[in-house]
Amino acid sequence: MIAHGKWYGDACGTAFAMELVGERWSMLILRELMLGGRRFSDLRAALPGLSAKVLTERLAGLEEAGLVTRRRLPPPAAVQLYELTEWGYSAEPAIRELGRWAARSPAHNPQLPLSPVSFMLSLRTMIDREAAAASGLDLEIGFTLAGESFLAALRGGELPVRRAEPGETSGELHFEAEIALPLLRLFYGKQPLDEAEQAGVRITGDRNLARRVIALFALPPKIG
């Protein structure tokens, strides 16, 4: 376990949090593991600017800190998975609220690349929970982004998200895109459905229902 005070000599929990996850890439590795275990190669693909050497170092540090664990799947898979511990998963609210806070900056650029997991966590972060609860909507929404599939359960104003199992049904609505940017423009830029489809988004299901769902998401207002 990492000793508190190695960087700052400060009893504050925020200071210790930075000692745990403040090194470059550490927080993004946690983000990528929030929807389930991933192989080393999966993490490299989701974080293309991260070298194998640094990823190895960061995973070792997060494991030492008690945030990440690893296990080997039995044959025929026989691959090693990196997963969050229960304590690691409990960092999700902090990660989401940090993202909401940072998105208020005029310097935040939503046009940059976004991993599938990051997009799904953004929906969990940016949903208007009061409006979602008032809408009475209760449905499963499927997403396929860059070949990764997820199911989001919209009910009671909440939006739990999980990875879809192979062959699992895609929900009453399904959105699919090769990259995140067209989905960002649809959900946060409120691009009309037909324009989003021309830009590469595939929408399956009732279009009026799709519009009602999309209306529940918005980026926070910019500062200043």
Side-chain angles (χ1 to χ4, degrees):
M1 178 65 70
I2 293 176
H4 185 183
K6 67 171 185 173
W7 289 0
Y8 301 113
D10 189 321
C12 175
T14 302
F16 187 37
M18 294 303 295
E19 292 169 4
L20 292 169
V21 297
E23 289 186 294
R24 191 171 185 228
W25 297 108
S26 292
M27 187 76 83
L28 299 191
I29 293 169
L30 288 188
R31 181 196 73 192
E32 290 303 316
L33 295 174
M34 277 294 163
L35 297 183
R38 308 298 282 155
R39 299 171 300 176
F40 189 93
S41 58
D42 296 328
L43 293 170
R44 284 290 314 279
L47 302 167
L50 175 57
S51 71
K53 177 179 182 295
V54 173
L55 177 56
T56 300
E57 293 171 353
R58 296 296 180 268
L59 286 168
L62 292 169
E63 188 173 7
E64 180 188 359
L67 295 162
V68 169
T69 188
R70 38 185 173 155
R71 66 183 174 96
R72 184 166 291 277
L73 295 180
V79 297
Q80 183 168 266
L81 283 186
Y82 292 90
E83 299 173 306
L84 294 180
T85 63
E86 182 179 356
W87 187 45
Y89 276 117
S90 70
E92 184 191 350
I95 291 173
R96 287 196 279 123
E97 288 311 307
L98 186 62
R100 179 190 295 279
W101 172 76
R104 295 197 62 200
S105 168
H108 173 244
N109 183 1
Q111 306 291 319
L112 292 172
L114 200 67
S115 75
V117 168
S118 187
F119 174 73
M120 297 309 301
L121 290 179
S122 85
L123 294 182
R124 280 180 53 74
T125 302
M126 302 303 178
I127 186 171
D128 183 332
R129 284 171 169 75
E130 289 187 8
S135 73
L137 290 172
D138 186 340
L139 72 154
E140 281 200 329
I141 309 164
F143 292 87
T144 301
L145 179 54
E148 296 186 41
S149 294
F150 306 88
L151 277 174
L154 176 59
R155 49 184 65 103
E158 295 298 325
L159 191 76
V161 176
R162 62 178 177 85
R163 290 187 180 276
E165 299 294 332
E168 191 171 14
T169 57
S170 61
E172 297 166 63
L173 276 177
H174 190 264
F175 298 89
E176 183 173 358
E178 295 302 319
I179 59 174
L181 185 56
L183 287 173
L184 291 171
R185 289 173 175 165
L186 176 62
F187 276 80
Y188 299 126
K190 307 308 176 190
Q191 187 176 47
L193 297 189
D194 56 347
E195 292 183 17
E197 288 172 322
Q198 291 172 12
V201 177
R202 291 175 289 282
I203 303 169
T204 305
D206 183 88
R207 295 174 74 82
N208 287 330
L209 182 58
R211 292 186 183 94
R212 289 181 66 195
V213 167
I214 291 166
L216 299 176
F217 300 88
L219 293 176
K222 297 297 185 183
I223 59 172

